[in-house]
Amino acid sequence: MSDIAIPVGGQGGEHSAHSHPKFLQHHFHTAQQQFEASKLGMWLFLVTEILLFSGLFLGYFILQSKHPQAFIEAHHHLDRNLGLINTLVLLVSSFTMVMAVQSAALSKTKATLAFLYTTFTLGGVFMVIKYFEYSHKIHDGLLPGSLFSYAGAAVPGEYLFFSMYFMMTGVHGIHIIAGMGVIAYLIYRTHKGDYSSEYYTPVDLTGLYWHLVDLIWIYLFPLLYLVS
Amino acid sequence: MAEVSTQTQQATASHHEELNYLNENRGVKSWLLTVDHKRIGVMYFWTIMTMFFVGGVLALVLRTELLTPKRLLVDAQVYNQLFTLHGAIMTFLVLVPLIPATLGNFAMPIMLGAKDVAFPRLNLASYYIYVVGALMAVAAILGGGLDTGWTFYTPYSSTTSGGVGIMTMAAFVLGFSSILTGVNFIATIHKLRAPGMSWYNMPLFIWGMYATSLIQVLATPVIGITMVLLLMERIFQVGIFDANLGGDPVLFQHFFWFYSHPVVYIMILPGMAIISEVIPTFSQKTIFGYKPIAWSSVGIAVVGFLVWGHHLFVSGQSEFAAAVFSFITFLVAIPSGIKIWNWMATMYRGSISLKAPMLYAISFLLLFGIGGLTGLFLGALAVDVHLHDTYFIVAHFHYVMMGGTLIAFFAGVHYWWPKIYGRMYNEYWASIACLLVFLGFNGTFLPQFILGARGMPRRYYNYLDQFQPLHVASTIGSYILALGLVIMAVVLIAPLFRKRYDAPNNPWGAASLEWTVSSPAPTHNFHHDPVITHGPYDFKAARAAEKAGAHA
Amino acid sequence: MALEKQTMESIPKHGEETHTHDHTRYYIGTIIALFVLTAITVFVAGIDFGSNFVNLMIAMAIATVKASLVVLFFMHLRWEKGMNAIVFLSSIFFVGVFMVFTFLDINTRVHVEPAGPSEPGASAGYEPIPMPMYVGKTPAAEGEAAAAPAEGEQVATPAEGGAAQN
């Protein structure tokens, strides 16, 4: 994403200084064109993310349809309240993210920073709660596949649920961490005053990404915590 | 043609001292850190050709080993690893990126009238990610090899030792590279077309690239997650692909082919895209049926997603699903047929000149025709049960992948070589090479159709004595093919030692934009923003414009 | 340089675009709706609608409503160019293709899974054959695990390692 942010130097691309904003890359005619291209590129990237997760969801659906009883039994080991709190945390973080984008678009740098910090913090809260959930599972031996060592399993095949649980939340968690990394970078650039109503593409694109990660969780929450 | 070449001679005289993308910046660093789509295309070209050489040598070793039913060069275990490597290298490292990353990167922005692709730095990133993936694949070879076949079917792949883990990660990484190229191309085609370059004014090459990119974006992520799941299965026995643990091994095949069937269209669509450029140019006739060809590319891309189950006919897939997949498979023949007929109608009553690119294009029509039609046999359920996992399959997909994609690629390389390196190659020897490649290719794979129909299974180390004559014929064919490829390489590389750029701007009398700029192309592609005044196959208008330009 | 001059005459600014309008009230409405729908999801999860499949579908439907709100408002698709919407919807279509065709196979298969030593009827019920490491742990699994020693051995090496640690 930062590819879009910085003009390309070198490569014989000497630009004369006249009326050429520094964020505009040499192969675009207008800022508008560059913005639209970046945005389309981001949506295409989101498509790849959705298809990536679709493999995990399909795996979940198939294993769940084969072993419904095991999945119901196994999901009782998850803490529904923590899942709910995490859902709310992510939803709020999505809200603060979209507010950050809007503030950037309106050149309200202070508000942008405040919202970005909040979003980053909420991402952190999500991961901390996730950490406590994980360590609880690890302690109980509720682990994927061959690592599963929980003695009180009522139905054989519960390890399948935990295979899916750890893979799905794991891949999702990696996306949260990546998103937090990008938001940290945005905070740094906003402090430098790089974003304004003229140019805030990176904030906008990161917002899209962050919402997608939230959107995935919207599906993960009922699948993993609320199976009935 | 004569008229064209005299006027282009004049143009040659003045432009060869000009700066171009090859000589404007010098030094290794200017290449390694370049964001110029042309240089990235060239770097991709040489890297992929290196991998192609490795894969080709492996193929020759395999064919030589198969001269006799007994051990000749390597033992059975090594043989298994060699064919896996041949398959994995040729698909993941050669065929998938082959045309989009090399010729697509080089030519597409110029053809659109753009200065670069939409995201030049992502483009460079995609190259380095490709290199990392290739190195991981090499590491897998050195770290114990793998013998699963390039398809990594479970449960064997999730239990066998060796380099499967790192190879799956290599496939994951290579997928990233592919996705970045796809995203880049779609954004470029949507947002960077020059003024006047409407969708239906785009050369058909661009339409092919667009359809290819769609598949890259939509299918590649699934192979990524599949490889992750396979790795988890290997490390933790998560159970999703293991019937013993309550999973489903055939599910792996669904996941795998959801990507890997569309991926054969990632391979063939760019090939078709090149043919759609070469045939009109060397027939000096407007393409017949522009819109059907353009939309059939998109049609193939979409229908290609609905047919993956035909790889699972004998894997324990349900009969109902198999019948559905079989039916949809036949549908793919429609857009492919549309293309073939339109190309032939384009050639009809054109003034055909049999230069090397055209020779390869005609070879493509013949070989892809055979490959495509044998695909119909295999799409038929009952026939497939007999032919599944035999040499018939091997011959079929080599006709499509090599006879189709690679031959079209060679057509494209010969076609754009003057634009890439600014030098003409020896036409006579290029034609000889093409002839040898064509003969050698048929010599290698025609016998394999017969072998397969008689029951010779694929991937076997030894075979019944009665199959030996056909195996010998196939091996001899492969040597002729290799000779042809070596001659081709020499023909293309030899001119690069000439100091002078002797290629005219438009050696073939083509009408698309990339031939209006100097050869080799200037660093920023265009000195003035191009305005599109005539269609990509309007040869009359192109000649007139060129004449006007030469006089001005 | 010359080539730049021609193109640099006018540079429209972002400020002229639609999405710099103040959308705060939409965002607040969206987040409230999302909270309400989350509550509904949790509430509905406690109700049994008859079958596992229906329960799942209802949960997914609510999630889809929530996701649509996120996409339309937070991700601006409501105010976006049509192309981006097409791009996004295409992903949904292909995910659908992926799932529908895979289930087309899974749900229409004739099951030929080995019946094992237990009663013949039991094999049709998708009872998982337990992992080798279950052996001796869960009483219910013992009988069946013994039935598949051959496959067990292939997979067992890493699995048994895991079991030994425990």
Side-chain angles (χ1 to χ4, degrees), chain B residues 1-55:
Chain B
M1 278 315 289
E3 178 200 2
V4 172
S5 56
T6 45
Q7 42 160 293
T8 43
Q9 284 313 290
Q10 302 168 346
T12 318
S14 61
H15 81 74
H16 69 265
E17 300 93 354
E18 273 179 37
L19 288 179
N20 58 53
Y21 84 100
L22 288 174
N23 62 11
E24 185 162 341
N25 295 290
R26 289 179 181 280
V28 177
K29 208 179 139 198
S30 79
W31 278 88
L32 293 182
L33 298 179
T34 185
V35 288
D36 178 357
H37 67 98
K38 299 180 289 297
R39 286 190 163 199
I40 294 171
V42 168
M43 291 200 293
Y44 253 123
F45 176 83
W46 289 109
T47 317
I48 293 176
M49 285 302 104
T50 310
M51 299 320 296
F52 178 62
F53 177 77
V54 174

Side-chain angles (χ1 to χ4, degrees), chain B residues 276-322:
Chain B
S276 304
E277 292 304 304
V278 171
I279 285 187
T281 299
F282 290 88
S283 306
Q284 284 294 301
K285 192 163 156 269
T286 302
I287 190 96
F288 184 91
Y290 176 95
K291 286 184 185 177
I293 296 184
W295 283 103
S296 65
S297 294
V298 180
I300 290 177
V302 173
V303 180
F305 273 96
L306 309 176
V307 301
W308 79 82
H310 66 221
H311 296 271
L312 281 67
F313 282 167
V314 300
S315 300
Q317 180 181 233
S318 87
E319 286 170 17
F320 177 71

Side-chain angles (χ1 to χ4, degrees), chain A residues 143-166:
Chain A
L143 288 167
S146 59
L147 300 175
F148 189 87
S149 58
Y150 183 68
V155 182
E158 285 190 23
Y159 55 86
L160 289 171
F161 177 84
F162 287 100
S163 296
M164 292 320 297
Y165 169 79
F166 275 99

Side-chain angles (χ1 to χ4, degrees), chain C:
Chain C
M1 297 177 75
L3 66 152
E4 304 291 339
K5 270 177 197 151
Q6 294 184 326
T7 62
M8 288 305 121
E9 287 150 8
S10 67
I11 297 153
K13 294 177 177 164
H14 275 335
E16 292 160 16
E17 279 178 56
T18 47
H19 48 267
T20 40
H21 292 303
D22 195 322
H23 286 154
T24 312
R25 60 200 171 96
Y26 289 106
Y27 301 149
I28 291 175
T30 307
I31 188 73
I32 291 172
L34 288 172
F35 277 7
V36 171
L37 285 163
T38 306
I40 293 176
T41 319
V42 176
F43 173 70
V44 160
I47 307 169
D48 190 353
F49 290 95
S51 84
N52 177 40
F53 178 77
V54 176
N55 293 341
L56 195 66
M57 281 303 115
I58 288 172
M60 288 297 94
I62 298 172
T64 303
V65 174
K66 290 167 76 180
S68 309
L69 288 175
V70 171
V71 171
L72 284 174
F73 292 97
F74 284 173
M75 297 171 88
H76 285 130
L77 209 57
R78 184 169 178 267
W79 299 285
E80 273 294 342
K81 296 229 163 206
M83 190 57 212
N84 293 343
I86 293 172
V87 166
F88 180 74
L89 291 177
S90 73
S91 76
I92 310 293
F93 173 76
F94 284 97
V95 168
V97 165
F98 187 24
M99 297 200 171
V100 166
F101 278 80
T102 306
F103 266 103
L104 184 73
D105 166 31
I106 305 270
N107 285 347
T108 56
R109 269 189 215 162
V110 179
H111 287 277
V112 287
E113 286 165 24
S118 53
E119 59 276 44
S123 66
Y126 301 101
E127 283 306 309
I129 302 166
M131 287 184 67
M133 66 191 178
Y134 264 116
V135 176
K137 285 214 171 125
T138 38
E142 265 181 322
E144 285 171 44
E151 298 101 310
E153 248 167 48
Q154 282 182 5
V155 230
T157 343
E160 271 172 357
Q165 285 168 15
N166 304 317

Side-chain angles (χ1 to χ4, degrees), chain A residues 112-126:
Chain A
T112 312
L113 274 176
F115 282 121
L116 284 176
Y117 273 116
T118 319
T119 313
F120 183 88
T121 312
L122 289 171
V125 170
F126 179 90

Side-chain angles (χ1 to χ4, degrees), chain B residues 239-290:
Chain B
I240 180 167
F241 296 139
D242 194 335
N244 215 24
L245 306 181
D248 185 348
V250 180
L251 190 60
F252 176 83
Q253 299 187 23
H254 278 295
F255 275 57
F256 182 82
W257 288 111
F258 181 83
Y259 164 75
S260 295
H261 191 75
V263 92
V264 307
Y265 301 111
I266 292 182
M267 300 171 192
I268 195 64
L269 279 171
M272 293 168 158
I274 290 174
I275 301 302
S276 304
E277 292 304 304
V278 171
I279 285 187
T281 299
F282 290 88
S283 306
Q284 284 294 301
K285 192 163 156 269
T286 302
I287 190 96
F288 184 91
Y290 176 95

Side-chain angles (χ1 to χ4, degrees), chain A residues 17-176:
Chain A
H18 69 96
S19 80
H20 194 155
K22 76 175 198 286
F23 56 80
L24 185 65
Q25 293 182 267
H26 81 287
H27 57 290
F28 290 108
H29 289 179
T30 63
Q32 179 71 25
Q33 186 191 24
Q34 175 172 318
F35 176 72
E36 285 178 9
S38 309
K39 196 114 187 198
L40 178 62
M42 193 64 201
W43 277 100
L44 289 163
F45 175 71
L46 296 187
V47 165
T48 69
E49 290 284 10
I50 291 170
L51 277 137
L52 180 90
F53 276 99
S54 76
L56 289 169
F57 280 102
L58 180 57
Y60 175 93
F61 286 134
I62 283 174
L63 288 180
Q64 200 261 1
S65 73
K66 284 182 118 177
H67 312 284
Q69 216 46 47
F71 271 59
I72 290 171
E73 282 303 322
H75 102 282
H76 288 311
H77 296 298
L78 300 188
D79 188 329
R80 187 176 282 197
N81 291 333
L82 288 182
L84 181 62
I85 292 170
N86 254 351
T87 307
L88 299 180
V89 165
L90 267 197
L91 288 177
V92 173
S93 82
S94 239
F95 173 75
T96 55
M97 188 71 220
V98 80
M99 290 305 292
V101 174
Q102 174 167 294
S103 310
L106 298 171
S107 296
K108 296 178 183 162
T109 309
K110 263 193 184 156
T112 312
L113 274 176
F115 282 121
L116 284 176
Y117 273 116
T118 319
T119 313
F120 183 88
T121 312
L122 289 171
V125 170
F126 179 90
M127 288 315 294
V128 168
I129 294 180
K130 201 86 244 154
Y131 166 79
F132 283 116
E133 284 193 85
Y134 271 19
S135 47
H136 179 247
K137 303 289 165 307
I138 292 167
H139 178 260
D140 283 358
L142 294 163
L143 288 167
S146 59
L147 300 175
F148 189 87
S149 58
Y150 183 68
V155 182
E158 285 190 23
Y159 55 86
L160 289 171
F161 177 84
F162 287 100
S163 296
M164 292 320 297
Y165 169 79
F166 275 99
M167 287 196 291
M168 294 171 105
T169 55
V171 175
H172 180 262
I174 290 169
H175 280 82
I176 294 273

